[in-house]
């Protein structure tokens, strides 16, 4: 009797263990829940927090059916297109950052700025307006000033984009087209192409043919209005102007033949003719006639 009772208890224990055990042969590799689990095991199992993804609708404790669904979808999520993800009720793929290839323009890439206007002639002592550099030349040879703006020389020049000052070539817009540039011409009585303090030597303002001269160039023999009219060969320079478009100030320099260095010029008028040189006093002593020291101002139009 005792043996039968012990045997009965062993049978009951084995049956209980068998009914609650999970058959390893029924487990799907990688699945947390196997096919032969009990109803208690099937109700719910905790999920590791590492399996929760930001934006997931279910996180923490998932049912066996949902977990099985997610286990089949998750490995494909990164390979699916946005359209496929939307069809499955999943969020869109995260956008990928791409380096911008938009090329920014530098000032050197932009076109130069063109300025047009007239040149005022003013007294240096009181800044009173005398007139404007004229479009007509004395006997077609040298520049004058005129009181009428209707007779003023229209000029243009270019500066790099964004620049407010520079040493541009000044172009003639309404005078003799044979002389498209406004430059300085060696004086008739000069013995060389130098101007200095203590020397009477001087420069005319007049028309010059293209291409003119570049900043830093020494005086050069180029066709010009004075030489054409008089038949007397004279040297010229055209990159002689320094212009400030904010103040309108226009000053003149001349690169001397002797040392190749720019010399800041004095400017004056005698009657209506305009001159530049190294020493207005020395010029006046040589050519005794009233002189007026002047300045030049660019006025845009």
């Amino acid at each position: 009797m005792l043996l039968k009772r012990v045997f009965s208890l062993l049978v009951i224990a084995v049956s209980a263990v068998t009914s609650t055990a999970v058959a390893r042969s029924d487990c799907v590799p990688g699945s947390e829940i196997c096919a032969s689990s009990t109803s208690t095991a099937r109700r719910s199992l905790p999920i590791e927090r590492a399996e929760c993804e930001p934006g997931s609708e279910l996180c923490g404790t998932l049912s066996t059916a949902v977990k099985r669904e997610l286990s089949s979808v998750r490995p494909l999520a990164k390979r699916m297109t946005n359209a496929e993800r939307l069809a499955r009720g999943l969020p869109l793929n995260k956008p990928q950052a791409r380096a911008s290839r938009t090329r920014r323009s530098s000032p050197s890439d932009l076109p130069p700025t063109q300025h047009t206007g007239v040149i005022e002639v003013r007294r240096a002592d009181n800044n009173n307006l005398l007139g404007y550099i004229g479009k007509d030349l004395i006997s077609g040879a040298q520049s004058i000033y005129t009181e009428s703006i209707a007779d003023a020389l229209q000029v243009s020049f270019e500066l790099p984009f964004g620049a407010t000052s520079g040493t541009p070539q000044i172009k003639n817009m309404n005078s003799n087209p044979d002389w498209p540039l406004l430059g300085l011409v060696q004086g008739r009585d000069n013995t060389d192409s130098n101007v200095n303090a203590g020397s009477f030597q001087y420069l005319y303002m007049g028309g010059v043919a293209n291409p003119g001269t570049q900043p830093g160039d020494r005086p050069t023999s180029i066709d010009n209005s004075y030489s054409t009219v008089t038949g007397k060969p004279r040297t010229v320079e055209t990159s002689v102007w320094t212009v400030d478009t904010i103040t309108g100030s226009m000053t003149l320099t001349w690169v001397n033949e002797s040392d190749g260095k720019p010399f800041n010029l004095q400017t004056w008028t005698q009657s209506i003719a305009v001159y530049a040189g190294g020493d207005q006093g020395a010029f006046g002593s040589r050519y005794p006639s009233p002189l007026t020291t002047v300045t030049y101002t660019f006025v845009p139009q």
Side-chain angles (χ1 to χ4, degrees), residues 44-254:
S44 63
L45 286 177
I47 182 171
E48 294 292 337
R49 286 291 172 182
E51 294 179 355
C52 295
E53 297 182 2
S56 175
E57 296 179 0
L58 300 177
C59 190
T61 302
L62 301 178
S63 68
T64 303
V66 173
K67 290 183 68 176
R68 186 175 292 121
E69 178 67 19
L70 287 178
S71 68
S72 66
V73 171
R74 242 183 231 135
L76 299 176
K78 292 184 179 179
R79 295 194 296 271
M80 289 191 296
T81 66
N82 282 331
E84 291 171 334
R85 293 180 67 87
L86 288 173
R88 288 168 172 76
L90 297 173
L92 298 177
N93 290 314
K94 293 181 180 179
Q96 295 181 351
R98 296 182 180 179
S100 174
R101 295 185 180 182
T102 302
R103 185 172 181 267
R104 295 183 179 180
S105 297
S106 64
S108 62
D109 296 329
L110 299 172
T113 303
Q114 182 168 307
H115 302 266
T116 59
V118 297
I119 302 174
E120 289 182 341
V121 182
R122 293 182 173 273
R123 292 183 62 102
D125 54 0
N126 58 18
N127 203 41
N128 285 348
L129 179 66
L130 293 177
Y132 310 88
I133 296 296
K135 63 182 179 180
D136 298 319
L137 308 175
I138 297 176
S139 301
Q142 70 180 97
S143 296
I144 61 171
Y145 78 86
T146 176
E147 294 181 357
S148 172
I149 194 170
D151 295 325
L153 177 68
Q154 298 284 331
V155 299
S156 72
F157 59 89
E158 292 181 347
L159 291 177
F161 182 84
T164 59
S165 62
T167 56
Q169 290 192 338
I170 303 298
K171 299 177 182 179
N172 147 42
M173 302 295 290
N174 64 338
S175 189
N176 190 332
D178 292 337
W179 321 120
L181 303 175
L182 182 64
L184 295 176
V185 182
Q186 176 189 9
R188 178 193 64 191
D189 298 330
N190 294 10
T191 57
D192 56 35
S193 296
N194 301 309
V195 292
N196 292 291
S199 170
F200 77 90
Q201 296 198 143
Y202 58 95
L203 304 164
Y204 300 118
M205 189 180 296
V208 180
N210 280 322
T213 61
Q214 297 301 309
D217 285 355
R218 282 179 163 87
T220 305
S221 294
I222 298 176
D223 288 346
N224 62 85
S225 56
Y226 184 85
S227 295
T228 298
V229 170
T230 64
K232 190 175 182 68
R234 298 283 87 181
T235 58
V236 303
E237 293 180 22
T238 56
S239 293
V240 294
W241 299 93
T242 298
V243 185
D244 185 322
T245 59
I246 295 177
T247 64
S249 171
M250 300 183 74
T251 56
L252 288 164
T253 58
W254 178 266

